Amino acid sequence: MKRQIIDTIEEYKKIIIHRHVRPDPDAYGSQMGLKELILKNYPDKLVLAAGTHDNLLTYLAEPDIVTEEDYEGALVIVTDTANTDRIDGSFYDKGAFLLKIDHHPNEDPYGDKRWVNTEASSCSEMIYTIFEEGQASCGWEMSPEAARMLFAGIVGDTGRFMFQSTTEKTFEIASSLIKQPFDRTLLFAGMYEVDRKILHLQGYIYQNFMIDEHGAAYIKLTREILEQFDVTVSETSQLVGSLGNVKGICAWIIFIEEEDQIRVRLRSKGPVINTLAMQYNGGGHPLASGASVYSWDEADEVITKLQELCRNY
């Protein structure tokens, strides 16, 4: 499949790369890392990165301005996005060919061609293995900027190599990437330094989260609480893993109230929670998923089901 992907890339002069809405480092890392790899090895191609920019990820890169006309005759690649509802960008289906590259469960097999590997730690890891194939068969070269993007994506989706998805292959890839001359200290500062107000909200979470005897935990962040701490919904993404440091926790939910919905961020140390997310307009990885509910009563249903999962684990 990796060779087929390279053949497809070589076939098109214009390539537009998408990723998912509400991006994380792996979304940017896989999208921008692939863009940089293609430009490094095919400098005559036009490669554009589509999507709405998240200011929290400015330290990595910024997407391009892409118009509907740009899609005429283009190869469109979507990275790190399980289903079409989560693709960031309106015109991804307007190109000549659509390719999906992802590491989430393949619940929505969209695209003319797709490569899904749920065993990969991250989509950025998958992009690196495409590079390996390109290096072996076509003489591809790695660039420092591509390495920086892919390394950030791997670090982000493995929780700094702490998650179960981290494999020996993951470490081998990371070892290869850090041989490139990019500033890891500066990269880590962008990834993990947070504003003081975020730390204050984190303190609120630690003081107010609820946990039962089976390790099922949750915290509800209402719009009033977010306003109190002057934190945006997007900025709360930096705090999703906070409760993972609590001794005795099994799985947890952070609810974030928006104007038209309540965002549900689920994380687990054991019980599979993506099936629960699927019941509430979401999905994701077995141990890291997201969903949406539309009332606090519905949120309480999710809590009850999480408690049942932890009780039976």
Side-chain angles (χ1 to χ4, degrees):
M1 177 57 74
K2 288 173 281 189
R3 178 66 242 190
Q4 294 178 35
I5 290 172
I6 292 171
D7 290 342
T8 304
I9 288 171
E10 290 183 338
E11 185 179 342
Y12 289 86
K13 292 186 176 296
K14 183 166 51 177
I15 300 168
I16 301 173
I17 309 174
H18 286 252
R19 38 77 183 164
H20 60 74
V21 296
R22 300 192 288 270
D24 56 13
D26 189 35
Y28 264 45
S30 58
Q31 178 193 38
M32 302 295 184
L34 179 59
K35 174 186 173 180
E36 293 297 330
L37 278 175
I38 296 172
L39 287 174
K40 172 68 175 177
N41 294 286
Y42 305 97
D44 59 327
K45 294 185 184 296
L46 173 64
V47 188
L48 301 173
T52 303
H53 181 51
D54 187 326
N55 289 329
L56 292 174
L57 295 170
T58 299
Y59 69 89
L60 273 179
E62 295 188 32
D64 301 299
I65 297 173
V66 187
T67 67
E68 185 174 2
E69 290 73 26
D70 290 325
Y71 288 81
E72 184 176 354
L75 166 64
V76 179
I77 304 174
V78 182
T79 69
D80 197 36
T81 310
N83 52 65
T84 55
D85 289 342
R86 300 203 69 225
I87 298 174
D88 192 345
S90 303
F91 310 118
Y92 70 88
D93 58 349
K94 302 294 185 182
F97 194 90
L98 179 60
L99 170 62
K100 174 185 181 180
I101 303 175
D102 189 33
H103 69 128
H104 299 91
N106 194 27
E107 302 292 339
D108 182 1
Y110 64 85
D112 300 298
K113 184 177 293 182
R114 65 200 64 87
W115 179 37
V116 176
N117 179 12
T118 57
E119 301 298 317
S121 72
S122 57
C123 198
S124 295
E125 180 175 309
M126 294 175 68
I127 300 302
Y128 183 87
T129 63
I130 294 174
F131 161 73
E132 287 182 316
E133 174 63 33
Q135 183 182 46
S137 60
C138 307
W140 277 25
E141 296 179 358
M142 177 64 68
S143 71
E145 187 61 10
R148 186 176 74 93
M149 297 293 181
L150 297 178
F151 184 76
I154 292 170
V155 169
D157 251 31
T158 61
R160 288 181 269 191
F161 307 103
M162 292 175 62
F163 297 163
Q164 292 179 10
S165 59
T166 306
T167 65
E168 181 180 342
K169 177 68 173 177
T170 308
F171 283 113
E172 289 174 357
I173 291 172
S175 175
S176 177
L177 289 171
I178 63 173
K179 293 174 183 176
Q180 292 291 323
F182 64 89
D183 191 331
R184 273 183 287 154
T185 301
L186 186 62
L187 176 62
F188 285 137
M191 294 183 75
Y192 296 112
E193 286 184 353
V194 298
D195 288 339
R196 189 176 179 182
K197 64 181 182 179
I198 303 297
L199 293 175
H200 289 167
L201 179 57
Q202 186 177 47
Y204 174 88
I205 291 172
Y206 285 140
Q207 288 181 318
N208 293 277
F209 78 93
M210 305 297 292
I211 186 170
D212 70 7
E213 66 272 24
H214 303 290
Y218 67 91
I219 182 74
K220 296 178 178 179
L221 301 180
T222 64
R223 292 173 66 187
E224 289 76 19
I225 291 170
L226 295 182
E227 289 172 4
Q228 175 187 339
F229 288 93
D230 190 29
V231 172
T232 66
V233 171
S234 176
E235 288 172 328
T236 63
S237 64
Q238 301 172 77
L239 301 175
V240 180
S242 296
L243 292 180
N245 298 323
V246 177
K247 187 175 182 179
I249 207 163
C250 180
W252 67 98
I253 308 172
I254 297 183
F255 295 99
I256 304 102
E257 185 179 23
E258 301 184 26
E259 283 190 24
D260 58 345
Q261 65 177 308
I262 300 168
R263 193 176 299 181
V264 184
R265 291 186 168 125
L266 301 103
R267 296 294 185 270
S268 173
K269 291 184 176 180
V272 173
I273 42 89
N274 60 349
T275 51
L276 174 56
M278 289 177 198
Q279 298 175 43
Y280 294 92
N281 313 293
H285 298 293
L287 303 183
S289 297
S292 298
V293 296
Y294 298 93
S295 71
W296 287 114
D297 287 341
E298 199 175 12
D300 289 339
E301 290 179 13
V302 182
I303 293 169
T304 299
K305 291 180 180 179
L306 183 75
Q307 292 171 334
E308 183 179 355
L309 282 175
C310 291
R311 183 169 60 250
N312 295 328
Y313 179 68

